[in-house]
mmCIF file of all heavy atoms in Angstrom:
data_model
loop_
_atom_site.group_PDB
_atom_site.id
_atom_site.type_symbol
_atom_site.label_atom_id
_atom_site.label_comp_id
_atom_site.label_asym_id
_atom_site.label_seq_id
_atom_site.Cartn_x
_atom_site.Cartn_y
_atom_site.Cartn_z
ATOM 1 N N SER L 232 -7.599 -13.056 -0.085
ATOM 2 C CA SER L 232 -8.930 -13.325 -0.650
ATOM 3 C C SER L 232 -9.907 -12.228 -0.271
ATOM 4 O O SER L 232 -9.709 -11.478 0.680
ATOM 5 C CB SER L 232 -9.471 -14.670 -0.148
ATOM 6 O OG SER L 232 -9.796 -14.590 1.238
ATOM 7 N N TRP L 233 -10.969 -12.171 -1.067
ATOM 8 C CA TRP L 233 -12.175 -11.439 -0.729
ATOM 9 C C TRP L 233 -13.296 -12.461 -0.496
ATOM 10 O O TRP L 233 -13.276 -13.553 -1.070
ATOM 11 C CB TRP L 233 -12.632 -10.558 -1.883
ATOM 12 C CG TRP L 233 -11.755 -9.423 -2.264
ATOM 13 C CD1 TRP L 233 -10.880 -8.730 -1.487
ATOM 14 C CD2 TRP L 233 -11.718 -8.804 -3.562
ATOM 15 N NE1 TRP L 233 -10.293 -7.721 -2.211
ATOM 16 C CE2 TRP L 233 -10.787 -7.741 -3.488
ATOM 17 C CE3 TRP L 233 -12.370 -9.044 -4.771
ATOM 18 C CZ2 TRP L 233 -10.498 -6.921 -4.587
ATOM 19 C CZ3 TRP L 233 -12.077 -8.230 -5.852
ATOM 20 C CH2 TRP L 233 -11.162 -7.178 -5.757
ATOM 21 N N PHE L 234 -14.277 -12.079 0.283
ATOM 22 C CA PHE L 234 -15.520 -12.852 0.461
ATOM 23 C C PHE L 234 -15.269 -14.253 1.021
ATOM 24 O O PHE L 234 -16.085 -15.145 0.834
ATOM 25 C CB PHE L 234 -16.291 -12.963 -0.861
ATOM 26 C CG PHE L 234 -16.405 -11.685 -1.626
ATOM 27 C CD1 PHE L 234 -15.807 -11.536 -2.870
ATOM 28 C CD2 PHE L 234 -17.091 -10.597 -1.092
ATOM 29 C CE1 PHE L 234 -15.901 -10.351 -3.584
ATOM 30 C CE2 PHE L 234 -17.192 -9.410 -1.802
ATOM 31 C CZ PHE L 234 -16.606 -9.286 -3.044
ATOM 32 N N THR L 235 -14.162 -14.466 1.699
ATOM 33 C CA THR L 235 -13.862 -15.788 2.228
ATOM 34 C C THR L 235 -14.651 -16.033 3.505
ATOM 35 O O THR L 235 -15.076 -15.099 4.186
ATOM 36 C CB THR L 235 -12.351 -15.920 2.506
ATOM 37 O OG1 THR L 235 -12.006 -17.274 2.623
ATOM 38 C CG2 THR L 235 -11.938 -15.169 3.772
ATOM 39 N N SER L 236 -14.866 -17.295 3.830
ATOM 40 C CA SER L 236 -15.541 -17.652 5.084
ATOM 41 C C SER L 236 -14.495 -17.699 6.185
ATOM 42 O O SER L 236 -13.787 -18.691 6.366
ATOM 43 C CB SER L 236 -16.239 -19.009 4.942
ATOM 44 O OG SER L 236 -17.243 -18.958 3.955
ATOM 45 N N ALA L 237 -14.400 -16.601 6.930
ATOM 46 C CA ALA L 237 -13.351 -16.468 7.937
ATOM 47 C C ALA L 237 -13.885 -16.419 9.355
ATOM 48 O O ALA L 237 -13.112 -16.482 10.311
ATOM 49 C CB ALA L 237 -12.539 -15.208 7.667
ATOM 50 N N GLY L 238 -15.200 -16.284 9.497
ATOM 51 C CA GLY L 238 -15.777 -16.179 10.825
ATOM 52 C C GLY L 238 -15.503 -14.843 11.499
ATOM 53 O O GLY L 238 -15.803 -14.649 12.676
ATOM 54 N N ARG L 239 -14.928 -13.920 10.769
ATOM 55 C CA ARG L 239 -14.601 -12.582 11.259
ATOM 56 C C ARG L 239 -14.361 -11.688 10.053
ATOM 57 O O ARG L 239 -14.284 -12.172 8.917
ATOM 58 C CB ARG L 239 -13.375 -12.614 12.170
ATOM 59 C CG ARG L 239 -12.236 -13.470 11.635
ATOM 60 C CD ARG L 239 -11.116 -13.622 12.633
ATOM 61 N NE ARG L 239 -10.219 -14.703 12.263
ATOM 62 C CZ ARG L 239 -8.968 -14.803 12.665
ATOM 63 N NH1 ARG L 239 -8.468 -13.883 13.458
ATOM 64 N NH2 ARG L 239 -8.214 -15.815 12.307
ATOM 65 N N ASP L 240 -14.250 -10.397 10.286
ATOM 66 C CA ASP L 240 -14.108 -9.462 9.174
ATOM 67 C C ASP L 240 -12.810 -9.654 8.403
ATOM 68 O O ASP L 240 -12.778 -9.566 7.170
ATOM 69 C CB ASP L 240 -14.155 -8.011 9.678
ATOM 70 C CG ASP L 240 -15.544 -7.589 10.116
ATOM 71 O OD1 ASP L 240 -16.509 -8.324 9.829
ATOM 72 O OD2 ASP L 240 -15.658 -6.524 10.750
ATOM 73 N N CYS L 241 -11.718 -9.893 9.132
ATOM 74 C CA CYS L 241 -10.399 -9.874 8.511
ATOM 75 C C CYS L 241 -9.482 -10.905 9.159
ATOM 76 O O CYS L 241 -9.558 -11.139 10.372
ATOM 77 C CB CYS L 241 -9.798 -8.471 8.661
ATOM 78 S SG CYS L 241 -8.058 -8.316 8.168
ATOM 79 N N VAL L 242 -8.641 -11.516 8.349
ATOM 80 C CA VAL L 242 -7.555 -12.361 8.846
ATOM 81 C C VAL L 242 -6.261 -11.799 8.275
ATOM 82 O O VAL L 242 -6.106 -11.704 7.054
ATOM 83 C CB VAL L 242 -7.710 -13.830 8.413
ATOM 84 C CG1 VAL L 242 -6.515 -14.654 8.906
ATOM 85 C CG2 VAL L 242 -9.015 -14.412 8.924
ATOM 86 N N PHE L 243 -5.356 -11.403 9.157
ATOM 87 C CA PHE L 243 -4.043 -10.911 8.727
ATOM 88 C C PHE L 243 -2.974 -11.634 9.526
ATOM 89 O O PHE L 243 -3.043 -11.716 10.750
ATOM 90 C CB PHE L 243 -3.911 -9.407 8.957
ATOM 91 C CG PHE L 243 -2.575 -8.853 8.517
ATOM 92 C CD1 PHE L 243 -2.434 -8.294 7.259
ATOM 93 C CD2 PHE L 243 -1.462 -8.913 9.346
ATOM 94 C CE1 PHE L 243 -1.207 -7.800 6.839
ATOM 95 C CE2 PHE L 243 -0.229 -8.432 8.935
ATOM 96 C CZ PHE L 243 -0.101 -7.869 7.681
#
Side-chain angles (χ1 to χ4, degrees):
S232 70
W233 294 333
F234 315 115
T235 198
S236 297
R239 44 187 165 157
D240 288 348
C241 171
V242 177
F243 180 95

